[in-house]
Amino acid sequence: MSAAERANRNRRSSRRRGSGANSGAPHLRTVRETSAGGLVVDGLGGPRDKLCAALIGRTDRRGRLLWSLPKGHIEQGETAEQTAMREVAEETGIRGSVVASLGSIDYWFVTEGRRIHKTVHHYLMRSLGGELSDADIEVTEVAWVPLSELDSRLAYADERKLAEIAGRLIADMEHSPVGRTGAE
């Protein structure tokens, strides 16, 4: 057998055995999770330059404060909309009602030996009252942020895109008779 034939045979058998760079690496179990949250806005129906959204800040492993939209796991028996309202209230202290869907984001991450595929449904919400509170253990800070600053404040590109969608929906509401009166 020539050297070339031996090399080819070794390559084929190593592929079958799964050897190579990933040999010995544990196989990660994939878990699917679904969450919901929202962009809760204060002042809908009023002047555009006065509109603010409640954001949460969480400290990452490097000690950086990252601002994002409140969100959390859908509990058994809850709809995504109910979860969004509950999670916004729990994480920000603000009660809100769903006005429209902003869309969904999905992403992958690894934690505790599992590979997570997470889908998060987001909603535009009208603030119904409450007081900002960072009492939730997962939240470092909460703040009302002017809509005009969301692009520079939100840490994640997918959430910045949702904020743009919310801006367009709000503009459409301003131009409709229902949006101007605040009734829905």
Side-chain angles (χ1 to χ4, degrees), residues 49-146:
D49 62 339
K50 302 287 185 208
L51 300 179
C52 292
L55 299 185
I56 61 169
R58 291 185 171 139
T59 306
D60 73 359
R61 285 182 236 139
R62 296 182 187 145
R64 298 175 302 177
L65 185 64
L66 302 178
W67 291 95
S68 64
L69 302 178
K71 60 191 158 294
H73 294 281
I74 296 176
E75 301 291 335
Q76 189 169 5
E78 270 185 334
T79 65
E81 293 88 349
Q82 289 168 331
T83 298
M85 292 185 294
R86 177 180 53 77
E87 287 291 338
V88 164
E90 286 177 5
E91 293 190 349
T92 68
I94 303 301
R95 294 182 326 278
S97 64
V98 171
V99 174
S101 174
L102 293 176
S104 299
I105 295 173
D106 78 316
Y107 53 95
W108 295 82
F109 63 97
V110 175
T111 184
E112 300 172 2
R114 299 176 306 154
R115 184 176 45 221
I116 310 293
H117 181 207
K118 186 162 197 159
T119 301
V120 185
H121 304 287
H122 291 282
Y123 298 91
L124 174 61
M125 299 171 67
R126 176 185 309 276
S127 171
L128 300 176
E131 280 189 45
L132 280 183
S133 169
D134 61 3
D136 189 298
I137 190 109
E138 297 176 5
V139 175
T140 305
E141 283 187 45
V142 294
W144 284 113
V145 176

